[in-house]
Amino acid sequence: MALADRNTKLVSAKFGNEDAKTLAGYEKLGGYQMLRKALAMRPEDIANEVKASNLRGRGGAGFATGVKWGFVPKDAKEVHLVCNADESEPGTCKDRELIYWDPHLLVEGMVISAFALKAKHNYIYIRGEMMREYAVIAKAVEEAYARGYLGKNILGSGFECHLTVHRGAGAYICGEETALLNSLEGLRGQPRLKPPFPAIKGLFGNPTIVNNVETLMNVPFIVDKGGAWFAALGPGRSGGTRMLCVSGHVNKPGVYELPIGITFRELIDEVCGGVWKGRKAKAVIPGGTSMPPLTYDELDVPIEFDALMTDERIKPVEIAPGVPFDMGGGRQLRSMAGSGGVVVMDDHTDIPKAVWRIMKFYAHESCGQCTPCREGTGWMTKVAKRVADAQGKPGDLELLASIAHGIAGNTICALGDAAAWPMLGFLTKFRPDFEAALAASGAAA
Ligand SMILES: Cc1cc2nc3c(=O)[nH]c(=O)nc-3n(C[C@H](O)[C@H](O)[C@H](O)COP(=O)(O)O)c2cc1C
Ligand code: SF4
């Protein structure tokens, strides 16, 4: 058992292999053997292996998968498993590739997970724009039914498992798990108040586990080699490998499966061929635009979940110069690993303009249910635009920080935080850029 190295490929091992997308090609490579193995195990033993694996959700929050599965009440009459394939966080494009290249791995991971959770009617909620991937996964599901990997009495085990692929309609908010469940139920895609959390009361009122595509695709490997093996691949409490989608100003952008201990600097310089045009990285978004950015000096931190939250080399986000943002109980916000979408901005980047563009996205995608998010994202966009356009007014930076601070932690779902955190993070770390934009407006900061 050892840490993963850069050649360790699990979920992306079949990238580029067209044949592996067919059921016959997948089976030739040992496909569905882990389902056979799992069906001979006790469901609770599979869940225990997942717990021991330190598999953490790849959808954004990094929550321990085995712990989440453990929240489902033992006496539940009906349980659902829902795969979140909505993938709309800016900078994130790994699930699309995973589904396209290895659809049967997702089906196998889902049937094994459903068996562990005793879930009969299960769903894949796929982003509406992903037509190519929808066709691929729909075909894989059809093939799996025809071969007896889905349906009644799977492989003679007595286990019944159904999988419905449901297309979303292109709303970022439907990636939030409770909005997703509402959308699946045919309701407007708006988040629900929590608690109750979906594991207790989710789809159609039944306990429901929502997991990301990449999370579920790791489960067959855990059944194959064991939770301890998977846990040992990653550092600390983060088992396995990580899919990273690198975009922006690098020579070799792309979707890479990498060890979780790799640092941002290694990722940019060694994997992605360095910053383009011989320039230097200025700001790096570590895991989708919802996350506070890193500066050039913070790039020696690993991409690991806990490191990004606690490593003291990352400056805490502030609500005003020298005043850290308190996330509650004195907890400071540094950054987070998020969805694996790494966006690199070089030293020619107009930071206020980039921040305005990010804010515009969240204002457009806010579902409008809660006032701080509905109003605040709109105001942040408006003020950020005038600052970026050299039309800013005195006090605009304080205004932006106070709107963001008013949103963070005060909304039904985390879309509010997703807009507030990068705003506060950029203001904290790139204040001179905003001050220069204000000076160009003729307004002093
Ligand atoms: C606004 C918003 C959008 C989200 N979009 C996605 C998404 O597209 N895909 C995803 O897997 N998780 C997304 N999430 C996280 C989900 O709510 C949920 O935590 C995740 O699907 C759980 O899976 P995991 O435990 O395997 O990470 C989003 C969350 C928020 C607040
Ligand atoms: S935070 Fe925003 S997106 Fe989330 S429920 Fe409230 S208004 Fe809707």
Side-chain angles (χ1 to χ4, degrees), residues 152-214:
K152 290 186 177 165
N153 193 20
I154 294 173
L155 301 174
S157 65
F159 177 54
E160 181 174 356
C161 179
H162 299 277
L163 203 44
T164 303
V165 186
H166 182 95
R167 289 181 59 218
Y172 169 65
I173 194 56
C174 286
E176 194 281 338
E177 57 186 6
T178 59
L180 185 157
L181 298 179
N182 271 350
S183 172
L184 259 184
E185 288 184 16
L187 304 170
R188 187 181 286 192
Q190 289 186 320
R192 300 175 181 172
L193 263 180
K194 291 164 279 228
F197 288 93
I200 306 294
K201 189 168 183 235
L203 191 64
F204 308 119
N206 298 318
T208 303
I209 291 296
V210 182
N211 273 138
N212 173 260
V213 171
E214 186 187 342

Short mmCIF file of all heavy atoms in Angstrom, two decimals, residues 152-214:
data_model
loop_
_atom_site.label_atom_id
_atom_site.label_comp_id
_atom_site.label_asym_id
_atom_site.label_seq_id
_atom_site.Cartn_x
_atom_site.Cartn_y
_atom_site.Cartn_z
N LYS A 152 -34.35 -6.71 -12.42
CA LYS A 152 -34.72 -7.59 -11.30
C LYS A 152 -33.68 -8.70 -11.15
O LYS A 152 -33.12 -9.15 -12.15
CB LYS A 152 -36.09 -8.21 -11.58
CG LYS A 152 -37.21 -7.18 -11.49
CD LYS A 152 -38.56 -7.84 -11.63
CE LYS A 152 -39.63 -6.78 -11.46
NZ LYS A 152 -40.94 -7.22 -11.91
N ASN A 153 -33.45 -9.13 -9.95
CA ASN A 153 -32.61 -10.31 -9.69
C ASN A 153 -31.26 -10.24 -10.42
O ASN A 153 -30.92 -11.12 -11.22
CB ASN A 153 -33.40 -11.57 -10.11
CG ASN A 153 -32.74 -12.82 -9.57
OD1 ASN A 153 -31.94 -12.77 -8.62
ND2 ASN A 153 -33.04 -13.95 -10.18
N ILE A 154 -30.50 -9.20 -10.11
CA ILE A 154 -29.24 -8.95 -10.81
C ILE A 154 -28.25 -10.11 -10.57
O ILE A 154 -27.94 -10.45 -9.43
CB ILE A 154 -28.63 -7.61 -10.35
CG1 ILE A 154 -29.55 -6.47 -10.80
CG2 ILE A 154 -27.23 -7.41 -10.90
CD1 ILE A 154 -29.17 -5.13 -10.29
N LEU A 155 -27.82 -10.71 -11.66
CA LEU A 155 -26.86 -11.82 -11.64
C LEU A 155 -27.30 -12.92 -10.65
O LEU A 155 -26.47 -13.53 -9.98
CB LEU A 155 -25.44 -11.33 -11.31
CG LEU A 155 -24.85 -10.29 -12.27
CD1 LEU A 155 -23.51 -9.77 -11.77
CD2 LEU A 155 -24.70 -10.87 -13.67
N GLY A 156 -28.60 -13.11 -10.55
CA GLY A 156 -29.14 -14.17 -9.70
C GLY A 156 -29.05 -13.90 -8.21
O GLY A 156 -29.27 -14.79 -7.39
N SER A 157 -28.75 -12.64 -7.85
CA SER A 157 -28.53 -12.34 -6.42
C SER A 157 -29.83 -12.04 -5.67
O SER A 157 -29.84 -11.96 -4.44
CB SER A 157 -27.64 -11.10 -6.30
OG SER A 157 -28.34 -9.97 -6.83
N GLY A 158 -30.90 -11.81 -6.42
CA GLY A 158 -32.15 -11.38 -5.77
C GLY A 158 -32.23 -9.87 -5.63
O GLY A 158 -33.28 -9.32 -5.28
N PHE A 159 -31.13 -9.17 -5.91
CA PHE A 159 -31.13 -7.70 -5.77
C PHE A 159 -31.76 -7.06 -7.01
O PHE A 159 -31.42 -7.42 -8.14
CB PHE A 159 -29.69 -7.19 -5.58
CG PHE A 159 -29.58 -5.69 -5.50
CD1 PHE A 159 -30.34 -4.95 -4.59
CD2 PHE A 159 -28.72 -5.01 -6.35
CE1 PHE A 159 -30.23 -3.56 -4.53
CE2 PHE A 159 -28.61 -3.63 -6.30
CZ PHE A 159 -29.37 -2.90 -5.39
N GLU A 160 -32.68 -6.11 -6.76
CA GLU A 160 -33.33 -5.39 -7.86
C GLU A 160 -32.86 -3.94 -7.86
O GLU A 160 -32.90 -3.27 -6.83
CB GLU A 160 -34.86 -5.45 -7.66
CG GLU A 160 -35.62 -4.74 -8.77
CD GLU A 160 -37.13 -4.93 -8.64
OE1 GLU A 160 -37.60 -5.67 -7.72
OE2 GLU A 160 -37.86 -4.30 -9.45
N CYS A 161 -32.42 -3.48 -9.02
CA CYS A 161 -31.88 -2.12 -9.09
C CYS A 161 -32.24 -1.50 -10.44
O CYS A 161 -31.96 -2.09 -11.49
CB CYS A 161 -30.37 -2.16 -8.91
SG CYS A 161 -29.59 -0.53 -9.01
N HIS A 162 -32.86 -0.33 -10.39
CA HIS A 162 -33.23 0.38 -11.63
C HIS A 162 -32.50 1.70 -11.68
O HIS A 162 -32.27 2.35 -10.66
CB HIS A 162 -34.74 0.59 -11.68
CG HIS A 162 -35.48 -0.71 -11.68
ND1 HIS A 162 -35.69 -1.44 -12.83
CD2 HIS A 162 -36.04 -1.43 -10.67
CE1 HIS A 162 -36.33 -2.55 -12.53
NE2 HIS A 162 -36.56 -2.58 -11.22
N LEU A 163 -32.18 2.10 -12.91
CA LEU A 163 -31.44 3.34 -13.12
C LEU A 163 -32.14 4.16 -14.19
O LEU A 163 -32.31 3.69 -15.32
CB LEU A 163 -30.01 2.96 -13.54
CG LEU A 163 -28.88 3.95 -13.33
CD1 LEU A 163 -28.95 4.60 -11.96
CD2 LEU A 163 -27.54 3.24 -13.49
N THR A 164 -32.54 5.36 -13.82
CA THR A 164 -33.18 6.27 -14.79
C THR A 164 -32.23 7.44 -15.03
O THR A 164 -31.75 8.05 -14.08
CB THR A 164 -34.50 6.81 -14.19
OG1 THR A 164 -35.33 5.70 -13.87
CG2 THR A 164 -35.22 7.73 -15.18
N VAL A 165 -31.98 7.72 -16.30
CA VAL A 165 -31.13 8.87 -16.63
C VAL A 165 -32.06 10.04 -16.93
O VAL A 165 -32.93 9.96 -17.79
CB VAL A 165 -30.23 8.57 -17.85
CG1 VAL A 165 -29.27 9.74 -18.08
CG2 VAL A 165 -29.45 7.29 -17.65
N HIS A 166 -31.87 11.13 -16.17
CA HIS A 166 -32.75 12.29 -16.30
C HIS A 166 -31.93 13.50 -16.71
O HIS A 166 -30.93 13.83 -16.07
CB HIS A 166 -33.43 12.55 -14.95
CG HIS A 166 -34.39 13.70 -14.97
ND1 HIS A 166 -35.74 13.52 -15.18
CD2 HIS A 166 -34.18 15.03 -14.85
CE1 HIS A 166 -36.33 14.71 -15.18
NE2 HIS A 166 -35.40 15.64 -14.98
N ARG A 167 -32.35 14.17 -17.76
CA ARG A 167 -31.61 15.36 -18.22
C ARG A 167 -32.11 16.61 -17.52
O ARG A 167 -33.33 16.84 -17.44
CB ARG A 167 -31.77 15.53 -19.73
CG ARG A 167 -30.99 14.48 -20.52
CD ARG A 167 -31.16 14.69 -22.00
NE ARG A 167 -30.70 16.01 -22.38
CZ ARG A 167 -31.29 16.77 -23.31
NH1 ARG A 167 -32.35 16.32 -23.94
NH2 ARG A 167 -30.82 17.95 -23.61
N GLY A 168 -31.18 17.41 -17.01
CA GLY A 168 -31.54 18.72 -16.46
C GLY A 168 -31.79 19.68 -17.61
O GLY A 168 -31.77 19.30 -18.78
N ALA A 169 -32.03 20.94 -17.26
CA ALA A 169 -32.33 21.92 -18.31
C ALA A 169 -31.38 23.10 -18.27
O ALA A 169 -31.71 24.20 -18.67
CB ALA A 169 -33.78 22.37 -18.19
N GLY A 170 -30.18 22.86 -17.77
CA GLY A 170 -29.15 23.90 -17.85
C GLY A 170 -29.20 24.96 -16.78
O GLY A 170 -28.94 26.13 -17.04
N ALA A 171 -29.55 24.57 -15.56
CA ALA A 171 -29.53 25.54 -14.45
C ALA A 171 -28.45 25.12 -13.46
O ALA A 171 -28.48 24.01 -12.95
CB ALA A 171 -30.87 25.58 -13.75
N TYR A 172 -27.51 26.01 -13.19
CA TYR A 172 -26.42 25.72 -12.25
C TYR A 172 -26.99 25.29 -10.90
O TYR A 172 -26.47 24.37 -10.26
CB TYR A 172 -25.55 26.97 -12.10
CG TYR A 172 -24.54 26.95 -10.99
CD1 TYR A 172 -23.47 26.06 -11.00
CD2 TYR A 172 -24.62 27.87 -9.94
CE1 TYR A 172 -22.52 26.07 -9.98
CE2 TYR A 172 -23.68 27.88 -8.93
CZ TYR A 172 -22.63 26.98 -8.95
OH TYR A 172 -21.70 26.99 -7.95
N ILE A 173 -28.05 25.93 -10.47
CA ILE A 173 -28.58 25.66 -9.13
C ILE A 173 -29.07 24.21 -9.01
O ILE A 173 -29.12 23.66 -7.90
CB ILE A 173 -29.70 26.68 -8.74
CG1 ILE A 173 -30.01 26.60 -7.24
CG2 ILE A 173 -30.95 26.47 -9.58
CD1 ILE A 173 -28.82 26.82 -6.33
N CYS A 174 -29.42 23.58 -10.12
CA CYS A 174 -29.89 22.19 -10.03
C CYS A 174 -28.77 21.22 -9.71
O CYS A 174 -29.01 20.03 -9.52
CB CYS A 174 -30.63 21.80 -11.31
SG CYS A 174 -32.25 22.57 -11.38
N GLY A 175 -27.52 21.70 -9.62
CA GLY A 175 -26.44 20.86 -9.12
C GLY A 175 -26.44 20.81 -7.60
O GLY A 175 -25.87 19.91 -7.00
N GLU A 176 -27.07 21.79 -6.96
CA GLU A 176 -27.21 21.75 -5.49
C GLU A 176 -28.18 20.61 -5.20
O GLU A 176 -29.25 20.52 -5.80
CB GLU A 176 -27.75 23.10 -5.00
CG GLU A 176 -27.62 23.31 -3.51
CD GLU A 176 -28.68 22.62 -2.66
OE1 GLU A 176 -29.77 22.30 -3.21
OE2 GLU A 176 -28.44 22.37 -1.48
N GLU A 177 -27.80 19.74 -4.27
CA GLU A 177 -28.48 18.45 -4.19
C GLU A 177 -29.98 18.52 -3.94
O GLU A 177 -30.74 17.71 -4.48
CB GLU A 177 -27.79 17.52 -3.19
CG GLU A 177 -27.67 18.09 -1.78
CD GLU A 177 -26.85 17.18 -0.88
OE1 GLU A 177 -26.27 16.18 -1.35
OE2 GLU A 177 -26.79 17.48 0.33
N THR A 178 -30.44 19.48 -3.15
CA THR A 178 -31.88 19.49 -2.87
C THR A 178 -32.66 20.16 -4.01
O THR A 178 -33.81 19.80 -4.27
CB THR A 178 -32.19 20.18 -1.53
OG1 THR A 178 -31.70 21.53 -1.56
CG2 THR A 178 -31.56 19.45 -0.36
N ALA A 179 -32.02 21.10 -4.72
CA ALA A 179 -32.66 21.66 -5.92
C ALA A 179 -32.76 20.57 -6.97
O ALA A 179 -33.77 20.45 -7.69
CB ALA A 179 -31.84 22.84 -6.45
N LEU A 180 -31.71 19.75 -7.03
CA LEU A 180 -31.70 18.63 -7.97
C LEU A 180 -32.87 17.68 -7.67
O LEU A 180 -33.58 17.24 -8.59
CB LEU A 180 -30.36 17.91 -7.84
CG LEU A 180 -30.01 16.75 -8.77
CD1 LEU A 180 -28.50 16.59 -8.85
CD2 LEU A 180 -30.64 15.46 -8.35
N LEU A 181 -33.09 17.39 -6.39
CA LEU A 181 -34.18 16.48 -6.03
C LEU A 181 -35.53 17.09 -6.39
O LEU A 181 -36.42 16.40 -6.90
CB LEU A 181 -34.11 16.12 -4.54
CG LEU A 181 -32.84 15.38 -4.10
CD1 LEU A 181 -32.86 15.11 -2.60
CD2 LEU A 181 -32.66 14.08 -4.88
N ASN A 182 -35.68 18.39 -6.12
CA ASN A 182 -36.93 19.06 -6.53
C ASN A 182 -37.13 18.94 -8.02
O ASN A 182 -38.23 18.65 -8.50
CB ASN A 182 -36.89 20.54 -6.13
CG ASN A 182 -37.43 20.76 -4.72
OD1 ASN A 182 -38.00 19.85 -4.12
ND2 ASN A 182 -37.26 21.96 -4.20
N SER A 183 -36.06 19.19 -8.77
CA SER A 183 -36.15 19.13 -10.22
C SER A 183 -36.54 17.72 -10.68
O SER A 183 -37.38 17.55 -11.56
CB SER A 183 -34.81 19.56 -10.82
OG SER A 183 -34.77 19.36 -12.20
N LEU A 184 -35.93 16.71 -10.04
CA LEU A 184 -36.28 15.32 -10.39
C LEU A 184 -37.75 15.02 -10.11
O LEU A 184 -38.38 14.23 -10.81
CB LEU A 184 -35.44 14.36 -9.53
CG LEU A 184 -34.21 13.69 -10.14
CD1 LEU A 184 -33.63 12.71 -9.14
CD2 LEU A 184 -34.52 13.00 -11.44
N GLU A 185 -38.28 15.66 -9.08
CA GLU A 185 -39.69 15.45 -8.73
C GLU A 185 -40.62 16.24 -9.63
O GLU A 185 -41.85 16.21 -9.45
CB GLU A 185 -39.94 15.83 -7.26
CG GLU A 185 -39.33 14.85 -6.27
CD GLU A 185 -39.68 15.19 -4.82
OE1 GLU A 185 -40.61 15.98 -4.59
OE2 GLU A 185 -39.00 14.67 -3.93
N GLY A 186 -40.05 17.03 -10.54
CA GLY A 186 -40.90 17.80 -11.44
C GLY A 186 -41.24 19.17 -10.90
O GLY A 186 -42.05 19.90 -11.48
N LEU A 187 -40.61 19.54 -9.79
CA LEU A 187 -40.86 20.86 -9.19
C LEU A 187 -39.84 21.86 -9.73
O LEU A 187 -38.87 21.49 -10.39
CB LEU A 187 -40.75 20.78 -7.66
CG LEU A 187 -41.66 19.75 -6.99
CD1 LEU A 187 -41.29 19.58 -5.53
CD2 LEU A 187 -43.12 20.17 -7.14
N ARG A 188 -40.02 23.12 -9.38
CA ARG A 188 -39.03 24.13 -9.74
C ARG A 188 -37.70 23.79 -9.05
O ARG A 188 -37.71 23.38 -7.89
CB ARG A 188 -39.54 25.50 -9.28
CG ARG A 188 -38.67 26.63 -9.74
CD ARG A 188 -39.19 27.94 -9.24
NE ARG A 188 -40.38 28.37 -9.96
CZ ARG A 188 -40.90 29.59 -9.87
NH1 ARG A 188 -40.34 30.48 -9.08
NH2 ARG A 188 -41.96 29.92 -10.54
N GLY A 189 -36.59 23.96 -9.76
CA GLY A 189 -35.29 23.57 -9.21
C GLY A 189 -34.77 24.58 -8.20
O GLY A 189 -33.85 25.33 -8.48
N GLN A 190 -35.38 24.59 -7.03
CA GLN A 190 -34.94 25.49 -5.97
C GLN A 190 -34.51 24.66 -4.75
O GLN A 190 -35.17 23.68 -4.40
CB GLN A 190 -36.07 26.43 -5.57
CG GLN A 190 -36.36 27.48 -6.64
CD GLN A 190 -37.37 28.51 -6.19
OE1 GLN A 190 -38.34 28.18 -5.53
NE2 GLN A 190 -37.15 29.76 -6.57
N PRO A 191 -33.42 25.07 -4.09
CA PRO A 191 -32.96 24.31 -2.92
C PRO A 191 -34.01 24.26 -1.81
O PRO A 191 -34.83 25.17 -1.66
CB PRO A 191 -31.73 25.10 -2.48
CG PRO A 191 -31.25 25.77 -3.71
CD PRO A 191 -32.50 26.14 -4.46
N ARG A 192 -33.93 23.18 -1.03
CA ARG A 192 -34.82 23.01 0.13
C ARG A 192 -34.07 23.47 1.38
O ARG A 192 -32.85 23.37 1.46
CB ARG A 192 -35.19 21.53 0.30
CG ARG A 192 -35.89 20.94 -0.89
CD ARG A 192 -36.11 19.43 -0.67
NE ARG A 192 -36.78 18.84 -1.83
CZ ARG A 192 -36.96 17.53 -1.99
NH1 ARG A 192 -36.52 16.67 -1.07
NH2 ARG A 192 -37.56 17.07 -3.07
N LEU A 193 -34.84 23.86 2.36
CA LEU A 193 -34.26 24.19 3.67
C LEU A 193 -33.76 22.91 4.32
O LEU A 193 -34.43 21.88 4.27
CB LEU A 193 -35.33 24.81 4.57
CG LEU A 193 -35.41 26.33 4.66
CD1 LEU A 193 -36.54 26.69 5.61
CD2 LEU A 193 -34.11 26.93 5.17
N LYS A 194 -32.56 22.97 4.92
CA LYS A 194 -32.01 21.81 5.62
C LYS A 194 -31.75 22.18 7.07
O LYS A 194 -31.28 23.30 7.30
CB LYS A 194 -30.71 21.36 4.95
CG LYS A 194 -30.93 20.76 3.57
CD LYS A 194 -29.66 20.69 2.78
CE LYS A 194 -29.35 22.00 2.16
NZ LYS A 194 -28.99 22.18 0.86
N PRO A 195 -31.86 21.30 8.04
CA PRO A 195 -32.40 19.95 7.91
C PRO A 195 -33.91 19.97 7.59
O PRO A 195 -34.51 21.03 7.79
CB PRO A 195 -32.11 19.33 9.29
CG PRO A 195 -32.01 20.49 10.24
CD PRO A 195 -31.51 21.65 9.42
N PRO A 196 -34.44 18.80 7.19
CA PRO A 196 -33.78 17.50 7.06
C PRO A 196 -32.88 17.43 5.84
O PRO A 196 -33.18 17.99 4.80
CB PRO A 196 -34.96 16.52 6.90
CG PRO A 196 -36.03 17.34 6.23
CD PRO A 196 -35.87 18.73 6.78
N PHE A 197 -31.77 16.70 6.01
CA PHE A 197 -30.86 16.47 4.90
C PHE A 197 -31.39 15.30 4.06
O PHE A 197 -32.15 14.47 4.56
CB PHE A 197 -29.46 16.16 5.44
CG PHE A 197 -28.80 17.40 6.02
CD1 PHE A 197 -28.92 17.69 7.37
CD2 PHE A 197 -28.11 18.28 5.20
CE1 PHE A 197 -28.36 18.84 7.90
CE2 PHE A 197 -27.54 19.43 5.73
CZ PHE A 197 -27.67 19.72 7.07
N PRO A 198 -30.99 15.25 2.79
CA PRO A 198 -31.53 14.21 1.90
C PRO A 198 -31.34 12.79 2.44
O PRO A 198 -32.19 11.93 2.18
CB PRO A 198 -30.75 14.41 0.60
CG PRO A 198 -30.34 15.84 0.62
CD PRO A 198 -30.12 16.20 2.06
N ALA A 199 -30.26 12.53 3.16
CA ALA A 199 -30.04 11.16 3.65
C ALA A 199 -31.16 10.73 4.61
O ALA A 199 -31.38 9.54 4.83
CB ALA A 199 -28.69 11.05 4.35
N ILE A 200 -31.86 11.70 5.16
CA ILE A 200 -32.99 11.39 6.05
C ILE A 200 -34.30 11.52 5.28
O ILE A 200 -35.16 10.63 5.33
CB ILE A 200 -33.01 12.36 7.26
CG1 ILE A 200 -31.65 12.36 7.98
CG2 ILE A 200 -34.17 12.03 8.21
CD1 ILE A 200 -31.28 11.06 8.65
N LYS A 201 -34.45 12.62 4.55
CA LYS A 201 -35.69 12.85 3.80
C LYS A 201 -35.31 13.52 2.47
O LYS A 201 -35.00 14.70 2.44
CB LYS A 201 -36.61 13.77 4.61
CG LYS A 201 -37.99 13.91 4.05
CD LYS A 201 -38.92 14.59 5.05
CE LYS A 201 -40.32 14.64 4.47
NZ LYS A 201 -40.89 15.95 4.43
N GLY A 202 -35.30 12.73 1.42
CA GLY A 202 -34.84 13.26 0.14
C GLY A 202 -35.87 13.10 -0.95
O GLY A 202 -36.98 13.64 -0.85
N LEU A 203 -35.53 12.33 -1.97
CA LEU A 203 -36.40 12.18 -3.13
C LEU A 203 -37.73 11.51 -2.74
O LEU A 203 -37.73 10.45 -2.12
CB LEU A 203 -35.66 11.35 -4.20
CG LEU A 203 -36.29 11.30 -5.58
CD1 LEU A 203 -36.34 12.68 -6.23
CD2 LEU A 203 -35.53 10.32 -6.47
N PHE A 204 -38.81 12.12 -3.12
CA PHE A 204 -40.16 11.62 -2.79
C PHE A 204 -40.32 11.35 -1.29
O PHE A 204 -41.05 10.45 -0.87
CB PHE A 204 -40.50 10.35 -3.59
CG PHE A 204 -40.27 10.50 -5.07
CD1 PHE A 204 -39.35 9.70 -5.75
CD2 PHE A 204 -40.97 11.46 -5.80
CE1 PHE A 204 -39.14 9.86 -7.11
CE2 PHE A 204 -40.75 11.62 -7.18
CZ PHE A 204 -39.84 10.83 -7.83
N GLY A 205 -39.59 12.10 -0.49
CA GLY A 205 -39.69 11.97 0.97
C GLY A 205 -38.88 10.81 1.54
O GLY A 205 -38.88 10.58 2.75
N ASN A 206 -38.18 10.07 0.68
CA ASN A 206 -37.41 8.91 1.15
C ASN A 206 -35.94 9.26 1.37
O ASN A 206 -35.41 10.16 0.71
CB ASN A 206 -37.46 7.78 0.11
CG ASN A 206 -38.88 7.30 -0.14
OD1 ASN A 206 -39.66 7.14 0.81
ND2 ASN A 206 -39.23 7.11 -1.40
N PRO A 207 -35.26 8.53 2.27
CA PRO A 207 -33.83 8.75 2.45
C PRO A 207 -33.10 8.62 1.11
O PRO A 207 -33.33 7.66 0.38
CB PRO A 207 -33.41 7.64 3.41
CG PRO A 207 -34.67 7.30 4.15
CD PRO A 207 -35.79 7.49 3.17
N THR A 208 -32.25 9.59 0.80
CA THR A 208 -31.61 9.64 -0.52
C THR A 208 -30.15 10.05 -0.38
O THR A 208 -29.84 11.02 0.32
CB THR A 208 -32.33 10.68 -1.42
OG1 THR A 208 -33.71 10.32 -1.49
CG2 THR A 208 -31.73 10.74 -2.81
N ILE A 209 -29.29 9.30 -1.03
CA ILE A 209 -27.88 9.69 -1.07
C ILE A 209 -27.60 10.30 -2.44
O ILE A 209 -27.86 9.70 -3.48
CB ILE A 209 -26.97 8.46 -0.84
CG1 ILE A 209 -27.09 7.97 0.61
CG2 ILE A 209 -25.51 8.78 -1.17
CD1 ILE A 209 -26.63 8.96 1.68
N VAL A 210 -27.08 11.53 -2.41
CA VAL A 210 -26.65 12.19 -3.64
C VAL A 210 -25.13 12.17 -3.66
O VAL A 210 -24.49 12.63 -2.71
CB VAL A 210 -27.16 13.66 -3.71
CG1 VAL A 210 -26.74 14.30 -5.04
CG2 VAL A 210 -28.67 13.71 -3.55
N ASN A 211 -24.58 11.60 -4.71
CA ASN A 211 -23.12 11.58 -4.85
C ASN A 211 -22.71 12.01 -6.26
O ASN A 211 -23.42 11.75 -7.24
CB ASN A 211 -22.55 10.16 -4.60
CG ASN A 211 -22.26 9.86 -3.16
OD1 ASN A 211 -22.55 8.79 -2.66
ND2 ASN A 211 -21.65 10.81 -2.45
N ASN A 212 -21.55 12.59 -6.32
CA ASN A 212 -20.97 13.05 -7.58
C ASN A 212 -20.54 11.85 -8.45
O ASN A 212 -20.27 10.77 -7.94
CB ASN A 212 -19.77 13.94 -7.22
CG ASN A 212 -18.98 14.35 -8.44
OD1 ASN A 212 -17.93 13.79 -8.74
ND2 ASN A 212 -19.48 15.34 -9.16
N VAL A 213 -20.44 12.10 -9.74
CA VAL A 213 -20.01 11.07 -10.71
C VAL A 213 -18.68 10.44 -10.30
O VAL A 213 -18.55 9.21 -10.20
CB VAL A 213 -19.85 11.72 -12.12
CG1 VAL A 213 -19.21 10.75 -13.10
CG2 VAL A 213 -21.18 12.24 -12.64
N GLU A 214 -17.68 11.29 -10.07
CA GLU A 214 -16.33 10.78 -9.76
C GLU A 214 -16.34 9.99 -8.45
O GLU A 214 -15.66 8.95 -8.34
CB GLU A 214 -15.35 11.97 -9.66
CG GLU A 214 -13.91 11.55 -9.48
CD GLU A 214 -12.99 12.75 -9.21
OE1 GLU A 214 -13.40 13.91 -9.48
OE2 GLU A 214 -11.88 12.55 -8.70
#
